[in-house]
Amino acid sequence: MDSDGSLAEYDEKTEISGTVTCLSLSRVPEGHLRSLFLAVGCDDCTVRILSLDPEPTFKSESVQALTAAPSALCTMAMEDSSSSGSILYLHIGLQSGVYLRTVLEEITGELADTRHQFLGIKAVKLFQITVQSQTCVLALSSRPWIGYTNPNTKRFMMTPLSYKDLRWGWSFSSSQCEEGIVGIHANYLRIFSIENLSNSLTQKSLSLTYTPRRLIKHPHQPLFYTIESENNTLAPELRAQLLAHPNEGNGDSKEGESFLIVGTGKDVIPKPRQSSGGYIYVYRFHRDGKDLEFIHKTKVKEPPMALLPFQGRLVAGIGKILRIYDLGIKQLLRKAQADVAPQLIVSLQTQGSRIIVGDVQQGVTMVVYKHESNELIPFVDDTIARWTTSTGMVDYNSVAGGDKFGNVWIVRCPEKASAEADEAGSEAYLISREYLNGAPNRLNLIAHFFTQDIPTSICKTSLIVGGQDVLLWSGLQGTIGVLIPFVAREDADFFQTLEMHMRGEDPPLAGRDHHSYRSYYVPVKGVIDGDLCERYLLLPNDKKQMIASELDRSVREVERKISSG
């Protein structure tokens, strides 16, 4: 566009080696007549930045090599925490389902600080939208995602939307929906809006009749089963069923068939702990898990507090006794048992022939099952009396757990003890080496961290497809936390140094020492406080610069490590 406002076509043209697959022009900056740069994506897995200055036209400023052909480009200015202003970003979507965000220097046209994330198996499409007066990017792959700057942490977030998969999207505004999004799903045109960017967690509550005690997922179907109960209260349906004395079903099972096992207690008094007995109920699935058929029940001396499938059988924690059952026609058949816990078994985990037993007061004990002699033998236990609330296996020798005082910890079995337990014919050797009324070996403490919430569950999982395995835990007060392992020693040293600087530059409001807080019961070990490190993004620029210089990095590099960590 000329100075008089008329359009003029340039005769100069630029030859590009590959076929152009996508283009992107940024919005015209204030005080300018044209955009600064043109981003061109080609099928040779490159993105080129061309200058739009009249002299010379289409000058190549930079080239970015990619892992796959680009499917979409979007150039936009977004808020940046390191500069306390806006900065020009180039968003790139690849045919492989990977999304990239890179900084486009407004003066030189160079591409720097590239960050990537896998969004899905479909090619990524990108669209510029506005949510809460903030410029955001809508990314469509196997599911829709939105990229935005979090109002609280000031960091860039790429969050999946809890919505149907879309093939196209754009901003939409009307009197009824001022900041909406219009998208195409199948043969439908859908209009929706995003109400809150500060909360990236979507939750849906379902009212229950009684207090939920356990939640378990169907092994093959997307169904969950919950146990609800109240003290001295029976559901009307259950009361009618017990009065009718239903006939027991047939316990014959097919190869590979799954059953739902439920443990109950009778006349239970929590404190002092006592009961008149317990039962283990067996149910068969029908209609892909939507219906249940009662098979039979087995009476036990105490309420079973932990149940777990084990090599086609059932392992149950009944008081201090660990017991293995097999399915019978009229009731469960006891195959093996051992007294392995000092007080009460509250959690069970298994891998291979190894069973991890969590005691309500005495921590974790590892038990090995010997097929030849049909014995359960404890071979390693803890040195500290931990009031265990939940456990989860990290690997074959390591266990993560939480206690009722708000601690999360990881303990590990010594390699020599683990090898001895797995040896064939080591039953007599393990039994003869019992030490101080316990197992012959002791667990080593690997990590310990005070969370100020009682962990109710902990598991090893991956939050995204193909992502790194993490430890996900939930707390009694509603906390959901993640423990992410460091792959490189360099990253661990970096965040440890950053945590040390943040303790001095960002002290708590109450003036309490941060290290003492995280070491409330036991000195913190092997864990770096990620919440404290993320507060670096909220510091003033002068403190950011000072800490970054101590780390021998730029502010942008520190923020990138925090975002990718």
Side-chain angles (χ1 to χ4, degrees), residues 12 21 23 53 60 62 88 100 202 223 227 264 276 278 281 294 302-303 339 353-354 386 400 422 441 445 451 469 493:
E12 299 180 8
T21 59
L23 299 170
D53 288 337
S60 179
S62 61
L88 195 61
L100 297 94
T202 301
L223 298 173
I227 300 177
T264 63
S276 61
Y281 289 77
F294 173 69
E302 296 185 49
D339 192 344
S353 296
R354 186 168 298 181
R386 309 182 195 274
D422 292 336
N441 303 286
L445 179 64
T451 63
D469 287 336
D493 294 339

Side-chain angles (χ1 to χ4, degrees), residues 293-343:
E293 176 194 357
F294 173 69
I295 302 300
H296 54 62
K297 65 179 180 181
T298 304
K299 186 176 181 179
V300 292
K301 290 185 178 181
E302 296 185 49
M305 303 300 293
L307 301 171
L308 192 70
F310 177 71
Q311 300 180 358
R313 296 178 175 180
L314 172 70
V315 58
I318 304 171
K320 299 186 294 183
I321 299 175
L322 183 66
R323 189 173 291 171
I324 294 179
Y325 286 101
D326 205 347
L327 185 65
I329 297 178
K330 294 297 182 180
Q331 67 175 14
L332 293 174
L333 306 177
R334 185 172 62 191
K335 295 297 183 180
Q337 73 173 30
D339 192 344
V340 300
Q343 298 291 333

Side-chain angles (χ1 to χ4, degrees), residues 384-435:
I384 300 178
R386 309 182 195 274
W387 294 71
T388 309
T389 57
S390 60
T391 57
M393 294 195 70
V394 180
D395 53 42
Y396 190 62
N397 292 326
S398 305
V399 181
D403 58 44
K404 75 172 189 177
F405 298 107
N407 299 301
V408 171
W409 33 265
I410 299 177
V411 291
R412 179 172 296 166
C413 175
E415 293 185 5
K416 182 179 179 181
S418 177
E420 290 176 351
D422 292 336
E423 288 181 1
S426 60
E427 295 91 336
Y429 177 73
L430 294 175
I431 295 175
S432 63
R433 292 182 60 232
E434 292 184 357
Y435 180 68

Side-chain angles (χ1 to χ4, degrees), residues 1-7 33:
M1 180 178 292
D2 295 335
S3 57
D4 58 356
S6 60
L7 294 175
L33 296 178

Side-chain angles (χ1 to χ4, degrees), residues 18-298:
T19 303
V20 176
T21 59
C22 48
L23 299 170
S24 177
L25 272 175
S26 62
R27 291 187 177 181
V28 179
E30 186 177 353
H32 290 69
L33 296 178
R34 63 182 63 83
S35 298
L36 300 177
F37 302 103
L38 170 67
V40 181
C42 302
D43 61 357
D44 58 355
C45 302
T46 59
V47 169
R48 292 172 170 82
I49 304 299
L50 306 180
S51 174
L52 296 182
D53 288 337
E55 296 295 338
T57 308
F58 294 146
K59 176 186 176 183
S60 179
E61 300 290 352
S62 61
V63 178
Q64 174 77 50
L66 307 172
T67 58
S71 57
L73 298 174
C74 188
T75 308
M76 66 178 73
M78 300 184 69
E79 185 179 356
D80 181 65
S81 58
S82 62
S83 61
S84 299
S86 61
I87 195 169
L88 195 61
Y89 287 100
L90 174 62
H91 304 266
I92 307 172
L94 303 184
Q95 295 284 354
S96 59
V98 176
Y99 158 81
L100 297 94
R101 180 178 69 107
T102 182
V103 176
L104 178 57
E105 298 291 344
E106 299 185 19
I107 304 300
T108 62
E110 295 290 332
L111 296 174
D113 191 22
T114 302
R115 309 182 188 185
H116 64 276
Q117 184 173 344
F118 179 73
L119 303 186
I121 59 175
K122 296 182 180 179
V124 179
K125 300 177 183 178
L126 302 173
F127 306 93
Q128 181 174 336
I129 60 175
T130 302
V131 178
Q132 297 180 1
S133 303
Q134 181 184 151
T135 302
C136 306
V137 57
L138 177 67
L140 304 180
S141 182
S142 302
R143 61 184 304 181
W145 298 67
I146 182 172
Y148 62 97
T149 302
N150 189 290
N152 298 329
T153 62
K154 304 302 180 183
R155 60 183 292 188
F156 180 81
M157 304 283 291
M158 179 59 74
T159 304
L161 295 179
S162 179
Y163 201 69
K164 300 180 181 296
D165 59 304
L166 303 174
R167 291 190 292 111
W168 208 263
W170 200 258
S171 293
F172 178 82
S173 179
S174 66
S175 57
Q176 294 84 6
C177 183
E178 295 183 358
E179 290 185 345
I181 302 172
V182 58
I184 300 176
H185 167 68
N187 296 327
Y188 298 93
L189 188 68
R190 296 182 176 270
I191 299 175
F192 60 97
S193 62
I194 300 173
E195 299 179 355
N196 188 8
L197 287 177
S198 60
N199 186 10
S200 59
L201 181 65
T202 301
Q203 59 181 353
K204 183 178 180 180
S205 300
L206 180 64
S207 299
L208 301 176
T209 307
Y210 306 103
T211 303
R213 305 296 181 179
R214 288 291 188 272
L215 182 70
I216 190 171
K217 182 185 177 298
H218 190 282
H220 308 296
Q221 303 297 330
L223 298 173
F224 289 88
Y225 304 91
T226 181
I227 300 177
E228 309 169 40
S229 66
E230 297 291 354
N231 189 30
N232 295 327
T233 303
L234 281 179
E237 298 83 359
L238 179 58
R239 182 183 297 274
Q241 180 183 359
L242 294 177
L243 292 176
H245 296 291
N247 295 327
E248 296 179 350
N250 188 352
D252 290 340
S253 62
K254 301 177 181 178
E255 184 70 23
E257 185 179 4
S258 299
F259 294 86
L260 178 64
I261 311 297
V262 180
T264 63
K266 184 179 181 181
D267 303 327
V268 177
I269 300 177
K271 186 177 181 181
R273 188 175 72 250
Q274 61 183 19
S275 65
S276 61
Y279 294 90
I280 300 178
Y281 289 77
V282 180
Y283 295 89
R284 175 178 276 120
F285 294 113
H286 289 289
R287 295 181 57 228
D288 293 331
K290 297 179 181 179
D291 289 337
L292 298 175
E293 176 194 357
F294 173 69
I295 302 300
H296 54 62
K297 65 179 180 181
T298 304

Side-chain angles (χ1 to χ4, degrees), residues 411-470:
V411 291
R412 179 172 296 166
C413 175
E415 293 185 5
K416 182 179 179 181
S418 177
E420 290 176 351
D422 292 336
E423 288 181 1
S426 60
E427 295 91 336
Y429 177 73
L430 294 175
I431 295 175
S432 63
R433 292 182 60 232
E434 292 184 357
Y435 180 68
L436 295 178
N437 296 323
N441 303 286
R442 297 292 180 263
L443 294 167
N444 298 323
L445 179 64
I446 302 301
H448 200 284
F449 190 71
F450 176 68
T451 63
Q452 203 177 359
D453 196 359
I454 300 176
T456 56
S457 66
I458 186 168
C459 66
K460 179 181 177 181
T461 185
S462 176
L463 298 181
I464 60 175
V465 178
Q468 183 183 14
D469 287 336
V470 300

